[in-house]
């Protein structure tokens, strides 16, 4: 049973191109299915989380990460009486705009695109679902509902206005062009927070990556269980496992400890969100949007403990010497491929030539090249670099 402040599927603000309702799926379930069947979603299989795609079959990729985020989002949404279909749709789409090589590739493209309007992976996800997917007879993109587009754009908070995160969105800074293009067509109310379902997808992202980065880091040998026993949350989790299952083999011990961390995070979010919702007494989904802060979040003490874990991961995993070495290598690839295609757009595949011919400026060409390079998988980017640059 949906709560009054949940996003009601029959009250959707609709799609940019009107369509008849499905007889067996809600509008948000239809969005979810279109995202799953999109080309961009399939490409996430070979896009990096932390480790470059070829480094091991057991490490998370953007695809497995997105599936894990969707699982957490469904759980949270169901427990809070929110719309699971919308939470799942936003969760599955939230990383569609990521470039090859994870945040390393994104950092490189941000610098390369500075003269041409910049690069933002959330805005790029919107560009994918509104323009770059070309499968349907009567429209480009996936023609998602307003609520799904809003969630992709604002799941991390407002983009403009007094409640926007000034570090991410400095006052007076231009809105990313890909976001502006969509917003000009379909006002996403960038000054407000997103729906509770989109906020659930955002916190589910935090839950998923905090959990699986610990798991992947252990598997890669970047740190040990003994290191984690020195940290808040992870230390007590290992102590509980050792008390209940003394002498448990290493892999089972790690799994049991980390699944407890997963549970701690979910329980904290549910407790705080339930208390906030009870206190605020929102009557509609719009009441959630009009608040002056997020309603779905961690408690302050728990968030401080997570910051300690994130700081540990940054030093021991994201900036580990082996990871830094690989970051330099793949940064060089992106920094080579982008200007190569700018200088020689005839190297782009034939299906991109029509777009190139229509480009009336360097900025328009750069955005086409960006769409192509950002859409590459790790594997394909490496192959293209080797093919074109020896």
């Amino acid at each position: 049973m949906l709560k009054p402040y949940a996003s009601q599927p029959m009250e959707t603000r609709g799609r940019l191109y009107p369509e008849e309702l499905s007889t067996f799926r809600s509008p948000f379930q239809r969005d979810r299915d279109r995202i799953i069947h999109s080309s961009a979603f399939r490409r996430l299989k070979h896009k990096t989380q932390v480790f470059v795609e070829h480094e091991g079959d057991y490490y998370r990729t953007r695809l497995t990460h997105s599936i894990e985020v969707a699982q957490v989002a469904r759980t949270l949404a169901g427990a809070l009486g929110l719309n699971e279909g919308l939470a799942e749709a936003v969760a599955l789409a939230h990383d569609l705009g990521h470039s090859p090589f994870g945040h390393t590739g994104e950092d490189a493209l941000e610098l390369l695109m500075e003269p041409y309007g910049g690069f933002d992976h959330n805005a790029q996800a919107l560009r994918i679902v509104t323009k770059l997917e070309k499968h349907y007879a009567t429209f480009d993109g996936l023609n998602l509902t307003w609520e799904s587009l809003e969630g992709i754009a604002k799941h991390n908070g407002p983009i403009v206005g007094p409640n926007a995160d000034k570090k991410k969105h400095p006052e007076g800074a231009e809105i990313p062009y890909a976001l502006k293009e969509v917003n000009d067509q379909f006002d996403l109310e960038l000054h407000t927070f997103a729906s509770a379902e989109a906020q659930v997808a955002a916190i589910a992202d935090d839950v998923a990556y905090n959990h699986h980065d610990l798991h992947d880091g252990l598997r890669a040998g970047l740190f040990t269980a003994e290191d984690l026993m020195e940290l808040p949350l992870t230390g007590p989790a290992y102590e509980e496992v050792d008390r209940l299952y003394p002498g448990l083999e290493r892999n089972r011990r790690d799994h049991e400890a980390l699944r407890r961390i997963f549970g701690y995070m979910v329980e904290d979010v549910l407790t705080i969100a339930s208390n906030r919702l009870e206190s605020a007494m929102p009557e509609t989904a719009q009441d959630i949007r009009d608040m002056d802060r997020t309603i779905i979040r961690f408690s302050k003490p728990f968030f401080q403990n997570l910051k300690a874990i994130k700081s540990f991961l940054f030093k021991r995993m994201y900036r580990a010497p082996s990871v830094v070495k690989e970051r330099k290598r793949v940064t060089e690839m992106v920094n080579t491929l982008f200007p190569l295609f700018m200088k020689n757009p005839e190297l782009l595949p034939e299906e991109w030539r029509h777009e190139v011919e229509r480009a009336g400026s360097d900025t328009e060409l750069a955005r086409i090249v960006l769409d192509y390079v950002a859409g590459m998988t790790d594997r394909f980017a490496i192959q293209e670099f080797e093919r074109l640059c020896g």
Side-chain angles (χ1 to χ4, degrees):
M1 184 73 175
L2 293 180
K3 297 290 188 181
Y5 45 77
S7 295
Q8 309 295 328
M10 292 303 104
E11 296 175 10
T12 174
R13 301 194 197 183
R15 305 177 188 276
L16 193 58
Y17 303 97
E19 298 182 54
E20 290 185 13
L21 292 174
S22 169
T23 57
F24 55 90
R25 291 177 297 175
S26 77
F28 305 141
Q29 290 171 330
R30 199 180 209 179
D31 286 355
R32 174 203 61 200
D33 295 348
R34 287 183 176 181
I35 291 162
I36 289 172
H37 290 285
S38 67
S39 300
F41 188 73
R42 288 195 297 276
R43 287 198 300 270
L44 296 180
K45 177 184 178 183
H46 296 298
K47 289 198 177 191
T48 295
Q49 271 298 111
V50 175
F51 302 97
V52 173
E53 184 267 338
H54 69 272
E55 291 187 308
D57 291 337
Y58 289 97
Y59 300 127
R60 267 66 172 196
T61 65
R62 290 282 169 198
L63 181 62
T64 59
H65 168 68
S66 296
I67 293 170
E68 291 178 29
V69 174
Q71 178 265 310
V72 178
R74 279 197 313 273
T75 298
L76 293 174
L80 295 170
L82 302 174
N83 192 296
E84 292 182 40
L86 178 57
E88 188 176 14
V90 176
L92 290 169
H94 84 284
D95 268 356
L96 289 181
H98 266 293
S99 61
F101 311 127
H103 290 288
T104 302
E106 182 177 6
D107 292 344
L109 287 174
E110 280 181 9
L111 290 173
L112 290 163
M113 283 296 294
E114 269 187 2
Y116 310 112
F119 174 69
D120 175 88
H121 77 265
N122 286 328
Q124 189 68 14
L126 278 176
R127 188 167 169 87
I128 288 168
V129 300
T130 59
K131 181 178 180 179
L132 298 182
E133 288 284 324
K134 299 181 186 293
H135 303 296
Y136 297 90
T138 57
F139 52 78
D140 288 339
L142 305 180
N143 199 31
L144 303 181
T145 60
W146 182 92
E147 289 78 7
S148 289
L149 295 177
E150 179 217 28
I152 295 169
K154 302 189 303 185
H155 60 274
N156 289 324
I159 308 299
V160 299
N163 293 320
D165 185 332
K166 297 300 184 288
K167 291 182 180 178
K168 295 178 181 175
H169 310 289
E171 198 164 343
E174 288 188 14
I175 297 171
Y177 71 89
L179 173 57
K180 185 177 185 304
E181 287 176 355
V182 176
N183 195 60
D184 286 347
Q185 286 185 292
F186 212 5
D187 183 5
L188 299 177
E189 299 177 359
L190 300 180
H191 62 288
T192 68
F193 285 93
S195 65
E197 288 83 359
Q199 294 182 35
V200 157
I203 205 90
D205 185 26
D206 286 350
V207 170
Y209 77 69
N210 278 316
H211 170 259
H212 64 52
D213 283 2
L214 289 169
H215 189 273
D216 283 351
L218 281 170
R219 188 175 190 91
L222 297 177
F223 45 81
T224 65
E226 286 62 40
D227 294 323
L228 297 185
M229 291 187 73
E230 302 297 319
L231 296 173
L233 300 180
T234 51
Y238 272 100
E239 289 171 6
E240 181 181 338
V241 173
D242 290 342
R243 186 177 70 253
L244 293 173
Y245 309 106
L248 194 63
E249 64 181 84
R250 182 176 62 84
N251 286 344
R252 294 178 190 270
R253 180 174 180 251
D254 291 340
H255 179 79
E256 285 291 338
L258 294 183
R259 69 188 285 262
R260 282 163 171 74
I261 303 300
F262 196 97
Y264 298 161
M265 289 188 281
V266 171
E267 289 168 7
D268 184 78
V269 170
L270 288 176
T271 299
I272 295 303
S274 298
N275 291 342
R276 284 174 173 270
L277 288 164
E278 185 178 345
S279 175
M281 293 188 296
E283 296 180 0
T284 66
Q286 192 60 36
D287 289 344
I288 300 282
R289 294 186 177 93
D290 291 338
M291 290 181 178
D292 61 358
R293 66 191 68 186
T294 54
I295 199 92
I296 312 294
R297 60 197 306 168
F298 294 111
S299 65
K300 288 184 179 178
F302 197 92
F303 183 70
Q304 290 304 312
N305 287 333
L306 282 180
K307 283 178 71 175
I309 292 175
K310 289 179 181 180
S311 177
F312 171 85
L313 285 170
F314 185 85
K315 294 173 185 173
R316 297 293 297 274
M317 185 173 182
Y318 310 142
R319 292 297 180 267
S322 59
V323 175
V324 170
K325 181 180 179 181
E326 193 68 3
R327 278 172 60 92
K328 290 179 180 178
R329 187 174 79 91
V330 299
T331 296
E332 180 189 353
M333 291 183 187
V334 177
N335 285 340
T336 301
L337 287 172
F338 185 91
L340 179 65
F341 290 126
M342 283 291 292
K343 186 176 181 181
N344 305 282
E346 70 276 4
L347 293 175
L348 292 171
E350 185 150 351
E351 58 266 31
W352 290 79
R353 304 280 173 79
H354 181 61
E355 296 290 331
V356 170
E357 289 169 2
R358 291 168 54 189
S361 65
D362 284 348
T363 295
E364 290 182 10
L365 176 60
R367 292 174 180 180
I368 294 167
V369 171
L370 172 69
D371 291 338
Y372 180 62
V373 174
M376 290 180 175
T377 63
D378 294 12
R379 178 181 298 181
F380 184 67
I382 292 168
Q383 288 173 349
E384 284 293 89
F385 179 78
E386 290 174 349
R387 181 178 72 86
L388 296 171
C389 307

